[in-house]
Amino acid sequence: MSDIIQLLPDHVANQIAAGEVVQRPASVVKELLENAIDAGASVITLLLKDAGKTLIQVIDNGKGMSATDARLCFERHATSKIKDAEDLFNLSTKGFRGEALASIAAIAHVELKTRQDNEELGTAIKIEGSTVVSQDIVSTAKGTSIAVKNLFYNIPARRNFLKSDTVETRHIIDEFQRVALAHPNISFSLHHNGNEVYHLKNSNLRKRIVAIFGNRTNEKLVPIEEQTDIITIRGFIAKPEYAKKKRGEQFFFVNDRFIKSSYLNHAVNSAFEGLLEQGAHPTYFIYFEVPPNSIDINIHPTKTEVKFDNEKALYAIIRATVKHSLGQYNVAPVLDFNRDATLDTPYEFKDKSSMSSPTITVDPTFNPFKTEPTESQHTYEKKSTASTSTSFSTPSKSSYKHDYKKDAGSWESLYSNIEPIEDTSVSQGQLFESTQETETGKTFQIQKKYILSSIKSGVVLIHQTLAHQRVLYEEYLENITVKEANSQQLLFPINISFSSTDIEMIYGMKSDLESTGFVFNEFTKDSITIGGIPIAISESQITLILEQLLDDMKLEVPDTSFSHFDVMAKSFAKSLAIKTGTVLSEKEQETLVNNLFSCKEPSVSPLGKATFKTLTLQEIDTIFSK
């Protein structure tokens, strides 16, 4: 029998390795940016075309490479970061595996230009599918420029698995933000299809966060800082009132490397316990500095998951640090058992040496019941002793005499004009009689969450929030796609700050939002000015609606115009639907029920959940027959 095991050709092995390293254009961006940082660059520029599918170019002013290094860096297992296996557990650099550039060159057209500071001329290399096409001596700027073109050109099946440009751009921006947040001392810029998306100057950490996520972020941030023998913690957390429904702005960095850790995330969430609404997630930017030999960052190909030596101790330290910061900056309530604020001396009396007690005057001869007594009163006065002295100040004698004489003679006259109140307490033989309803169509609200309506065949139980979502969804979808919505002009236009990427997303949806009733006066790099809003919403809801829409668009970025409208209508419906805990009048309940069953698909919410459940009389009888 012939042998069946054979060695793979180098170009096939490189393509297989590329599958681990390069999952999408964002993977290339991450590798190239990290190489530029390791090269000591202080200014890094990222250029993109067609979400990185056509071009990804990173230009830096780092130390550059020699002609030999420029050629060798595209070989597999070639790296300047490690020399033996022990170095893997003492890393202070980012790209170290030695397969990134080789993998990228195997599936794209790569052009490299590089020059060292002490050289007059540099090196230019062109590679196509692991094959070196040319190598020349050129005049170029100090540092390195590497352009990756036509990604996956020789693996069409892999290219077909890429998502839309909007989705891939979102992934690239996520990687760019992570690298930029880890290195605020480096200037970064990002250009997509000729448009500048980010221009980040070197600054401190707080300014870098604000530059990426918008000016409104500044007021949200609360600093945290702690230093122990095993870890140094610094960074910022957002105040509880700015928590979001979705996990978005949550960043952990270990030794300037972005990581993901559900364990450490749980530590932060536990520190916010009791301060967040159910389902809300805190925003944080937390940086750890630990000895390099106390972590293992090579447990995952993307290097975003790490293994700590003493995770339990880190959990306790992080939780305590965040809790301390929340209390220190008066974000969380603090109990002080040594002081009662209600006993504090008012400021106007603080410097006065003595206080005079208020005087109380009492007329010992005053008797409010001195009048023509009835027989019962006469009997009572005989039994009673002399009038009891009191320390309370009382009204004048004349006022009491006048009020009493109006109705004197009979206590029953005090109640003569009051109608008797029906006894609504449950008595034997009258169980549920007062609320019994026999006609169909009657509605009842249960626990401020459900609406119970009687029908001929039994009862229907409706979830008020999900039902209202369905009604609003179909209404907004019709407004967006079929008819023009009405708009209410604002007396004073509202200016709202967003990050530059969010501004770009809103601008891309501008015409669709205007069809729902929004009127935009101005778009700037970090804010928008709104002059009109749909009639169905209020000014206080504008920011909530747009933030919810942005979150939904990031998670469900559409590939077609219809689905674009669909996501927008769903987002509006979720934001504006009545919430659990809202009390509805009987008229409002009936209106909601009628509107629900006038919908095209009344049985499910926009997100596919059931809006109501019908119980027939037979099903109800079955419950009580067991």
Side-chain angles (χ1 to χ4, degrees):
M1 188 173 181
S2 60
D3 298 332
I4 59 174
I5 297 177
Q6 57 185 338
L7 292 174
L8 289 172
D10 285 344
H11 72 280
V12 177
N14 284 342
Q15 289 181 358
I16 294 173
E20 293 184 1
V21 179
V22 184
Q23 300 170 354
R24 58 193 341 144
S27 307
V28 176
V29 170
K30 178 178 182 292
E31 297 289 349
L32 298 185
L33 289 177
E34 289 183 347
N35 281 344
I37 292 168
D38 286 340
S42 60
V43 178
I44 300 175
T45 301
L46 172 61
L47 306 177
L48 303 172
K49 282 186 181 178
D50 302 327
K53 299 173 185 176
T54 303
L55 172 68
I56 300 171
Q57 185 173 7
V58 173
I59 305 169
D60 69 67
N61 65 343
K63 56 189 177 184
M65 291 181 284
S66 66
T68 303
D69 287 345
R71 180 69 176 264
L72 196 59
C73 72
F74 290 102
E75 298 295 328
R76 291 186 67 192
H77 312 306
T79 180
S80 63
K81 317 295 173 58
I82 59 175
K83 292 180 179 168
D84 54 46
E86 293 298 322
D87 292 340
L88 288 172
F89 301 97
N90 195 27
L91 287 166
S92 58
T93 56
K94 299 184 182 297
F96 59 85
R97 286 177 303 180
E99 290 189 359
L101 291 180
S103 299
I104 293 169
I107 54 173
H109 297 154
V110 179
E111 295 181 9
L112 171 71
K113 291 182 180 180
T114 184
R115 179 176 72 84
Q116 293 179 317
D117 192 26
N118 58 349
E119 299 288 340
E120 292 184 1
L121 297 174
T123 303
I125 296 179
K126 290 185 179 180
I127 299 178
E128 296 179 0
S130 297
T131 302
V132 178
V133 176
S134 64
Q135 178 172 343
D136 302 306
I137 297 174
V138 295
S139 176
T140 185
K142 177 219 167 188
T144 301
S145 169
I146 182 166
V148 178
K149 302 178 180 179
N150 305 320
L151 194 64
F152 298 123
Y153 81 99
N154 53 355
I155 313 178
R158 187 65 179 271
R159 190 177 178 91
N160 291 337
F161 274 98
L162 295 179
K163 302 296 184 182
S164 68
D165 284 1
T166 312
V167 174
E168 297 299 341
T169 301
R170 182 70 246 171
H171 284 287
I172 290 174
I173 288 175
D174 286 344
E175 292 293 351
F176 179 85
Q177 288 178 348
R178 292 165 183 173
V179 174
L181 286 170
H183 300 276
N185 59 320
I186 299 177
S187 296
F188 290 91
S189 61
L190 169 60
H191 299 258
H192 186 216
N193 292 337
N195 299 320
E196 184 179 77
V197 181
Y198 283 108
H199 183 75
L200 308 174
K201 299 179 181 178
N202 62 318
S203 58
N204 58 35
L205 179 55
R206 188 179 196 118
K207 289 182 179 178
R208 176 56 57 87
I209 294 172
V210 172
I212 292 177
F213 295 102
N215 292 330
R216 65 195 176 99
T217 308
N218 191 40
E219 64 187 50
K220 304 178 183 179
L221 301 179
V222 175
I224 63 171
E225 189 171 356
E226 186 62 54
Q227 188 167 359
T228 68
D229 293 337
I230 62 175
I231 190 172
T232 298
I233 302 176
R234 61 187 175 89
F236 296 91
I237 54 176
K239 298 173 184 176
E241 59 264 33
Y242 296 106
K244 297 194 172 183
K245 294 295 183 184
K246 296 190 172 56
R247 291 177 183 156
E249 299 167 7
Q250 296 183 335
F251 296 88
F252 284 125
F253 299 90
V254 175
N255 296 350
D256 293 335
R257 180 191 299 276
F258 172 78
I259 66 163
K260 296 177 181 178
S261 174
S262 57
Y263 186 68
L264 299 183
N265 178 69
H266 189 274
V268 177
N269 286 335
S270 65
F272 277 87
E273 189 175 2
L275 300 176
L276 301 178
E277 296 180 7
Q278 187 175 3
H281 303 279
T283 295
Y284 54 77
F285 307 85
I286 301 179
Y287 295 72
F288 307 125
E289 290 180 19
V290 298
N293 58 4
S294 68
I295 58 172
D296 183 3
I297 59 179
N298 203 29
I299 62 174
H300 193 274
T302 62
K303 297 174 288 186
T304 56
E305 296 180 16
V306 300
K307 178 72 175 174
F308 292 93
D309 278 353
N310 40 11
E311 282 190 331
K312 290 185 178 180
L314 292 181
Y315 184 99
I317 294 171
I318 293 166
R319 183 177 183 274
T321 301
V322 174
K323 255 189 173 311
H324 174 72
S325 188
L326 289 171
Q328 184 180 10
Y329 290 90
N330 297 321
V331 177
V334 179
L335 294 177
D336 186 352
F337 294 101
N338 298 321
R339 172 181 171 274
D340 185 352
T342 60
L343 300 179
D344 288 350
T345 304
Y347 287 113
E348 59 268 26
F349 295 107
K350 187 172 67 173
D351 299 324
K352 293 188 178 182
S353 57
S354 61
M355 303 288 175
S356 58
S357 300
T359 57
I360 300 175
T361 57
V362 177
D363 182 1
T365 63
F366 173 64
N367 182 1
F369 300 103
K370 190 174 182 181
T371 182
E372 295 297 328
T374 61
E375 184 176 350
S376 60
Q377 287 174 317
H378 181 71
T379 306
Y380 172 78
E381 286 178 0
K382 279 186 177 182
K383 293 181 180 179
S384 64
T385 59
S387 60
T388 308
S389 61
T390 178
S391 60
F392 296 105
S393 177
T394 56
S396 65
K397 185 190 298 184
S398 61
S399 65
Y400 260 104
K401 282 185 177 180
H402 175 76
D403 289 338
Y404 177 77
K405 282 184 177 180
K406 282 176 64 177
D407 299 308
S410 173
W411 287 103
E412 287 83 291
S413 64
L414 294 173
Y415 305 97
S416 59
N417 295 323
I418 299 178
E419 295 181 4
I421 300 174
E422 289 185 14
D423 184 9
T424 58
S425 59
V426 177
S427 58
Q428 192 172 14
Q430 292 182 326
L431 190 63
F432 303 122
E433 263 188 357
S434 60
T435 57
Q436 191 171 6
E437 181 65 54
T438 56
E439 61 182 271
T440 60
K442 184 72 175 177
T443 61
F444 304 92
Q445 190 177 27
I446 302 173
Q447 297 295 324
K448 303 177 186 177
K449 185 176 182 179
Y450 300 102
I451 297 174
L452 184 69
S453 179
S454 58
I455 55 178
K456 290 183 178 180
S457 60
V459 295
V460 59
L461 190 62
I462 301 168
H463 193 295
Q464 65 183 40
T465 301
L466 299 179
H468 198 210
Q469 285 181 5
R470 164 53 62 178
V471 173
L472 293 177
Y473 167 71
E474 293 197 5
E475 178 183 330
Y476 277 111
L477 194 60
E478 183 181 10
N479 287 340
I480 296 171
T481 57
V482 179
K483 61 184 182 182
E484 185 177 349
N486 294 323
S487 176
Q488 54 178 327
Q489 294 297 118
L490 298 176
L491 184 61
F492 300 102
I494 296 176
N495 186 270
I496 308 175
S497 297
F498 288 100
S499 67
S500 55
T501 51
D502 288 345
I503 293 289
E504 189 176 2
M505 286 187 68
I506 294 174
Y507 188 78
M509 298 182 286
K510 179 174 177 288
S511 60
D512 300 329
L513 286 168
E514 286 174 340
S515 67
T516 67
F518 279 95
V519 177
F520 297 97
N521 292 354
E522 184 183 13
F523 279 82
T524 64
K525 195 170 184 178
D526 59 359
S527 67
I528 59 175
T529 303
I530 298 175
I533 57 177
I535 292 177
I537 71 174
S538 63
E539 290 185 34
S540 61
Q541 295 173 312
I542 297 175
T543 303
L544 174 66
I545 289 172
L546 292 179
E547 286 183 346
Q548 178 70 56
L549 176 60
L550 287 169
D551 286 339
D552 291 338
M553 294 300 291
K554 290 171 187 175
L555 291 176
E556 304 176 54
V557 181
D559 293 324
T560 65
S561 58
F562 176 78
S563 114
H564 190 187
F565 296 142
D566 188 62
V567 172
M568 189 178 294
K570 286 179 182 177
S571 183
F572 284 1
K574 283 193 294 183
S575 301
L576 298 174
I578 52 176
K579 303 296 186 288
T580 296
T582 303
V583 178
L584 301 178
S585 67
E586 188 174 328
K587 182 66 176 175
E588 290 171 331
Q589 296 170 34
E590 292 176 357
T591 301
L592 178 58
V593 173
N594 292 335
N595 288 344
L596 173 65
F597 290 103
S598 298
C599 291
K600 295 179 181 178
E601 296 182 25
S603 60
V604 292
S605 74
L607 298 181
K609 297 180 180 179
T611 57
F612 66 87
K613 172 69 176 176
T614 301
L615 290 175
T616 64
L617 287 174
Q618 184 178 0
E619 290 174 327
I620 297 174
D621 291 339
T622 303
I623 295 173
F624 295 100
S625 63
K626 293 181 181 178

